[in-house]
Amino acid sequence: MSDPAVKLKGLTKTYGEGALAFEALKGIDLEVARGEFLMLVGPSGSGKTTLLSILGCVLAPTRGEGFLFSEPLHGRKERELPELRLSYIGFIFQGHNLLPALTAEQNVAFPLELRGYSHRAALAEAREVLGAVGLEDKLTSHPDALSGGQRQRVSVARAIAGRPPLILADEPTASLDAQTGAQVTTLLKDLSTERGHTVIVVTHDSRIFHLADRTVHIEDGRLVPPPVKE
Ligand SMILES: Nc1ncnc2c1ncn2[C@@H]1O[C@H](COP(=O)(O)OP(=O)(O)O)[C@@H](O)[C@H]1O
Ligand SMILES: [Mg+2]
């Protein structure tokens, strides 16, 4: 039995100090199996981005324990986080977050070079994953020459490039129409299954819930049972 992709025990996150302290996560217990496609759902301000930021090694937790593929997240110095992030995480943002001055293939290749790929190897991998998302004819297009759905497909390609084991997506369909949002999410799901990524998607978008292996609800910094349907 291999360890889960994610294991959290009593995880908390407090922003600020003293009278201004705000506890955004109030004790999260969560396990995510390897290969699972999980959706994290909750109202605005409930702590979704905070939780994703801790899993993505952008923020350190305040208390409790967290493990990514058995690597502890707690008790780390802030300066150790970027290295963990580069080894384990692919991130898809709400806005596509592509660099406008770079072409599609450069946008995908650039983070690979940060991970130690040679320029040539990074470009080869970028072209392969852009092919996998159906953009083989847009390799040298800049983001402003692409549709919203195409830009979000470049973001998917960038996240899966180099095969990071955990893909985190923060409201990836928020700027897309319903049909395009469902297409991009289906593509992400199919590629993850094929390539063995674990995926956590934060979303408000009830039209993509059915694609999840499991849906987890968060309210006011705590995981809660799903709301009862009317
Ligand atoms: N850097 C910060 N400093 C202080 N409070 C913050 C910070 N970031 C988020 N918060 C607060 O933490 C709570 C959870 O925020 P967030 O994780 O962004 O929620 P969500 O993504 O579910 O909308 C909110 O009340 C928000 O105002
Ligand atoms: Mg958010």
Side-chain angles (χ1 to χ4, degrees):
M1 274 281 293
S2 59
D3 293 319
V6 171
K7 185 168 182 165
L8 307 178
K9 281 176 75 177
L11 195 93
T12 76
K13 176 66 188 178
T14 304
Y15 289 112
E17 288 180 9
L20 295 176
F22 178 79
E23 195 172 43
L25 298 178
K26 298 177 172 136
I28 301 284
D29 297 317
L30 178 67
E31 270 193 38
V32 183
R34 292 182 190 230
E36 203 172 2
F37 194 92
L38 184 85
M39 288 196 192
L40 177 64
V41 182
S44 181
S46 56
K48 304 183 299 295
T49 295
T50 303
L51 182 53
L52 222 54
S53 301
I54 290 173
L55 293 173
C57 308
V58 176
L59 287 176
T62 305
R63 287 195 311 276
E65 295 186 341
F67 299 90
L68 279 189
F69 304 92
S70 308
E71 287 254 32
L73 292 172
H74 52 281
R76 295 222 178 228
K77 305 215 165 45
E78 294 271 348
R79 64 182 157 76
E80 296 176 338
L81 294 177
E83 195 186 321
L84 265 182
R85 181 166 70 241
L86 288 173
S87 332
Y88 287 100
I89 306 297
F91 219 106
I92 302 171
F93 299 90
Q94 176 168 350
H96 51 80
N97 206 43
L98 302 174
L99 296 170
L102 301 186
T103 63
E105 65 183 8
Q106 289 167 340
N107 264 289
V108 177
F110 168 65
L112 292 173
E113 291 186 55
L114 294 182
R115 284 190 221 162
Y117 279 62
S118 70
H119 182 66
R120 182 191 293 261
L123 263 188
E125 170 75 358
R127 288 173 184 158
E128 187 181 324
V129 289
L130 283 164
V133 300
L135 292 178
E136 51 286 315
D137 57 344
K138 301 289 182 189
L139 299 178
T140 58
S141 300
H142 286 81
D144 64 6
L146 300 172
S147 70
Q150 288 171 335
R151 285 198 285 260
Q152 207 51 311
R153 281 196 273 155
V154 177
S155 306
V156 169
R158 182 179 55 180
I160 66 174
R163 295 185 187 261
L166 181 61
I167 308 291
L168 303 173
D170 199 352
E171 308 203 31
T173 65
S175 58
L176 304 176
D177 63 73
Q179 194 188 357
T180 310
Q183 279 169 359
V184 170
T185 311
T186 303
L187 175 70
L188 175 61
K189 176 161 181 160
D190 291 347
L191 286 172
S192 312
T193 305
E194 267 167 44
R195 296 161 52 100
H197 300 279
T198 305
V199 183
I200 302 178
V201 179
V202 161
T203 188
H204 280 306
D205 187 349
S206 57
R207 290 164 304 206
I208 62 172
F209 288 175
H210 68 279
L211 293 168
D213 294 328
R214 178 161 63 111
T215 306
V216 166
H217 294 259
I218 184 168
E219 263 181 48
D220 194 21
R222 291 188 175 89
L223 299 188
V224 295
V228 180
K229 288 218 178 82
E230 303 281 311

